[in-house]
Amino acid sequence: MSRTSIVSAFLVLSALWGSSFAAIRLGLPSMPPVLFAALRFYLAGAVMVAYAIYSQTRWRPQGDDWKTVAVGALFFIAAHHAFLFVGEQYVTSAVAGVIISLDPVLAAGFAALLLPDERLSELGVVGLLFGLLGATIVANPSPENLVGSDVRGVVLVFLAAAAFALGAVLTRRFRTDLPAVSMQAWMMLVGAVVLHAVSLALPSERLADIEWTVDAILALGYLAFVAGGIGFLLYFALLDEIGPVEINLVGYVAPLFAGLSGWVVLGEPIEETTVAGFAVIVVGFALLKRRALLDAF
């Protein structure tokens, strides 16, 4: 790929994943949140498994592969998206996108705790604290809104980011030689089953509660086939071209598209605290990943 193609693909991926927060918000009034997430990954997982069969010589997990699939399905797909979809009932797309951008910062913290060779330097600790400070700024926990829905939403989306970050660290411990495309595909399908089981256990969620409105169908289709299918194909193509450090920067461009799409599609405001918190989180990421960023650029 040429540099222009790489930049274009990077921006398209950022736009697809950033706008997915608005798509979630669009579909939530018509679908129970955890069931909504399960349906998304049944569809996206089926597409990804089909692509894995087509593109990979080894597409089916065997033996120890299933341990990694199970960990990824539980944390990357089920826990992450259950907290995210429930949390997005209470916060704007921009706020959700900014809080989710904490993933790499939180992953560094979990790695320092769980992986012996991944200790944080003093500057890395400062970067971690900056990330947490940025999340606090976004939450804006003033006495007036401390018990409000927006703060509860921020906490839930923060737990979504933490689940994803913990999953990233744990899967590194159990990584096998199953191709990444195949691994991701099976994580999606198994994660969809876990999400569906959680939904069935919740008295507030019933299949009969789904209202198949135009908004619901568009949101589900976009999340499953566009942000999910096309987005992950772009992700793996870029991963081969530019490596894991630069591709992680998608998480810091996507919130811009999350705020823009939420404003255009849903009329959501973008608060000053959201912008300020995002800036502080970016500083934290830069401090944590300073060496990798210097090597990459």
Side-chain angles (χ1 to χ4, degrees), residues 1 22 89 97 170 255 260 283:
M1 294 174 70
Q89 295 177 109
L170 293 177
L260 180 62
V283 171

Side-chain angles (χ1 to χ4, degrees), residues 80-92:
H80 173 73
H81 288 91
F83 284 126
L84 176 62
F85 277 57
V86 175
E88 276 215 60
Q89 295 177 109
Y90 309 115
V91 296
T92 65

